[in-house]
Amino acid sequence: MASLVVAEHDNIELKRATLHAVTAASQFEGEVHILVAGADSAAVAAAAAQVAGVTKVLHADDPAYGHGLAENLAPLIVGLAEGYDHLLACATTFGKNTMPRVAALLDVAQISEISAIVSADTFVRPTYAGNAMATVKSNDARKVITVRATAFDAAAEEGGSAAVEAIDGPGDQGLSRFERHELSVSERPELTSADIVVSGGRGMQSGENFSLVEAVADRLGAAVGASRAAVDAGYVPNDYQVGQTGKVVAPNLYVAVGISGAIQHLAGMKDSKVIVAINKDEEAPIFQIADYGLVADLFKALPELAEELDKQNISKN
Amino acid sequence: MKVLVGIKRTIDANVKVRVKADESGVETANVKMTINPFCEIAVEEAVRMKEAGIAEEVVVVTAGPEEARQTLMTALAIGADRAVHVVAEQDIQPLAVAKVLKAVIEQESPGLVILGKQAIDDDSNQTGQMLAALLGWPQATFASKITLGEGEAEVTREIDGGLETLTVKLPAVVTTDLRLNEPRYASLPNIMKAKKKPIDAKTVEEWGVDAAPRIEVLNVKSPGKREAGVIVENVAELVDKLQNEAKVL
Ligand SMILES: Cc1cc2nc3c(=O)[nH]c(=O)nc-3n(C[C@H](O)[C@H](O)[C@H](O)COP(=O)(O)OP(=O)(O)OC[C@H]3O[C@@H](n4cnc5c(N)ncnc54)[C@H](O)[C@@H]3O)c2cc1C
Ligand SMILES: Cc1cc2nc3c(=O)[nH]c(=O)nc-3n(C[C@H](O)[C@H](O)[C@H](O)COP(=O)(O)OP(=O)(O)OC[C@H]3O[C@@H](n4cnc5c(N)ncnc54)[C@H](O)[C@@H]3O)c2cc1C
């Protein structure tokens, strides 16, 4: 039977997270379909139809679906579930919010944030901040799954030519309504899909000092991340947080500056290809997992690093 | 209004977790256990609502073994009024926990339910959403601010792109994120007082809930370990290594 991937989008663009879930779905037997539920979201449905490996796009367009409210989405997805063995979404805040509600309505368990697929019913998932990898088997007839993006490559955005089928859903359940957004605007790449991430921790001492991190990040075309301590202290917004209870990233290069390396932070970045740590304390645990460690005062090292990148002509702008 | 809080006993966040040699799970013998940090935030929020005169009573519920009584004590010491202990000797999974909480909620009729967004052991991040689904209530997950109004609550949520604010009808299920509040340290007198607060203990079977696991854990392994690399002398050497050795620049 087929798999259904629930698309994440903002009614304009299909989010990259969806592409990772498509790759996971394509490891199961049968067709891969995408559900686009949104408001005035035809562009998203069209983009979804292009994704390589997708054979059908179900498009539910209704104001009730415009803000991804779980109360409205869940009954729509449950109504479609009968045709599918596997229902998937990426383990973003959108997927984490929506899919357990779907699972409970179907009276099945949800398998959270899988990092590998062993077979149609058996999966690997990280637990205990990534310190224990559990292989779990679901005994439910239908599998509701969230997918860890860093463990599955993104499917190609083009190459598919799926049919788009308009569908109706149960609409507004009258339980919740969207009020407003305060979204971080940034010219930098998105944290979870960036090739290079430069993160600052409590050692940065203030929000203003993050300009030192940004100066390096911008030269590298990198995203900026942070430890929980830096977010809690108000240096940077919540969506910068990398870790067990923030975002999981696995870039080619992760630079941790003024971050001690608590297990909760490591849980979000230890699958990065190359890790650099800059810390003035040579005993900091971050050095135990870093490929390259620099024991230095960051207030001296960061400006030097920016300068050296310019000198070596590595800067991207 | 009555506020009900679901809490879970977990391994302390500072413990370095070790996988058992037989790969059946993680070592929990002689390991420090505490209240899950997100649940502690949930209890704190409910107690603040009571202190602000918005909530009349705070009831905490846990599903877990005998020892989970200790976790209830922690919540009672923060300021919860009474506790319900659903005694379950086996590990119970999120869907079953949601069913247990639903049974308790049907008896207690709270106006608001607060849970943690995730338990830091199993990292499932699903119980609150499942509970809301089973009750047919709205859900506001990953909350960093809760404002109660007439028959509704306005909740600010931490999402991947920043913050989102929703209005949900009450009763609702809210799950806590890290920045909702900073839990207090319980004072010694309050720890003493907690010992006198009522705990209603009954088994899962007595609650009539099917808590059978749906997911079988086949094995639990240690992830591949990363080795420490080299310490470089200065920034120039770092850039050189990244460029010519690691080839990531
Ligand atoms: C339930 C729970 C969930 C959590 N979730 C997360 C999470 O998702 N992500 C996360 O990151 N954390 C998380 N944490 C917090 C985590 O345990 C640590 O407290 C946090 O990661 C520490 O941040 P830090 O390394 O920036 O600060 P610290 O541990 O205080 O480290 C600061 C470092 O900066 C260095 N430093 C200071 N000044 C300088 C300088 N001038 N030059 C160079 N180095 C300097 C110091 O030597 C030190 O190593 C969580 C904790 C709990 C309990
Ligand atoms: C290594 C390992 C082995 C396991 N083995 C087994 C096994 O053999 N059999 C089995 O059945 N399960 C097993 N489990 C599953 C595990 O115990 C449950 O899935 C887990 O307890 C519930 O998920 P969670 O706490 O991560 O939920 P989350 O959804 O992350 O929890 C969110 C919130 O829900 C509330 N909540 C969660 N649990 C409770 C509770 N008990 N009482 C009250 N409120 C609660 C809290 O407010 C919490 O903050 C295993 C898990 C691991 C990691």
Side-chain angles (χ1 to χ4, degrees), chain A residues 71 96-97 107 112 125 128 133 135 137 177 179-180 232 241 245 247 270 272 290-293, chain B residues 99 117 121-122 124 126 129 137 139 141 160 165 167 179 214 216 218-219 221 226 229 232 245:
Chain A
E71 294 81 357
K96 288 175 179 175
N97 185 47
D107 193 30
S112 295
R125 56 175 303 262
Y128 292 92
M133 305 300 288
T135 301
K137 179 169 178 284
R177 59 176 194 273
E179 298 290 348
R180 61 192 171 270
D232 282 3
Q241 184 178 317
T245 59
K247 288 179 181 164
K270 69 179 174 190
S272 304
D291 299 286
Y292 301 105
Chain B
K99 289 180 180 178
K117 84 162 175 183
D121 48 3
D122 203 38
S124 295
Q126 37 175 272
Q129 298 86 311
W137 291 5
Q139 65 188 48
T141 52
D160 289 333
T165 303
T167 295
R179 282 158 285 272
R214 304 296 188 82
E216 253 177 86
L218 302 183
N219 62 58
K221 296 189 181 178
R226 256 192 118 98
V232 294
E245 190 177 273

Side-chain angles (χ1 to χ4, degrees), chain B residues 34 56 61 63 79 82 87 92 103 105 117 123-124 132 139 144 146 151 158 189 191 198 211 231 236 247:
Chain B
T34 51
E56 276 122 45
V61 185
R82 62 188 172 84
V87 183
I92 64 171
I105 286 162
K117 84 162 175 183
D123 287 336
S124 295
Q139 65 188 48
S144 64
I146 308 173
E158 293 198 359
I191 294 172
I231 297 289
K247 301 196 194 310

Side-chain angles (χ1 to χ4, degrees), chain A residues 201-202 227-229 241-242 245 258 260 264-265 279-280 297-298:
Chain A
R202 201 196 310 264
S227 70
R228 172 188 173 183
Q241 184 178 317
V242 171
T245 59
S260 61
Q264 292 87 4
H265 188 77
N279 197 303
K280 67 176 180 189
D297 186 333
L298 67 91

Side-chain angles (χ1 to χ4, degrees), chain A residues 204-218:
Chain A
M204 297 308 301
Q205 288 178 17
S206 75
E208 291 81 69
N209 290 341
F210 255 78
S211 61
L212 299 172
V213 169
E214 289 162 1
V216 170
D218 289 343

Side-chain angles (χ1 to χ4, degrees), chain A residues 27-42:
Chain A
Q27 294 186 15
F28 300 119
E29 267 178 49
E31 297 188 1
V32 177
H33 299 173
I34 295 187
L35 169 66
V36 175
D40 293 325
S41 54

Side-chain angles (χ1 to χ4, degrees), chain B residues 111-146:
Chain B
L112 178 70
V113 173
I114 314 180
L115 263 56
K117 84 162 175 183
Q118 95 194 56
I120 59 159
D121 48 3
D122 203 38
D123 287 336
S124 295
N125 197 328
Q126 37 175 272
T127 308
Q129 298 86 311
M130 289 186 150
L131 175 62
L134 297 178
L135 291 164
W137 291 5
Q139 65 188 48
T141 52
F142 329 140
S144 64
K145 187 161 186 258
I146 308 173

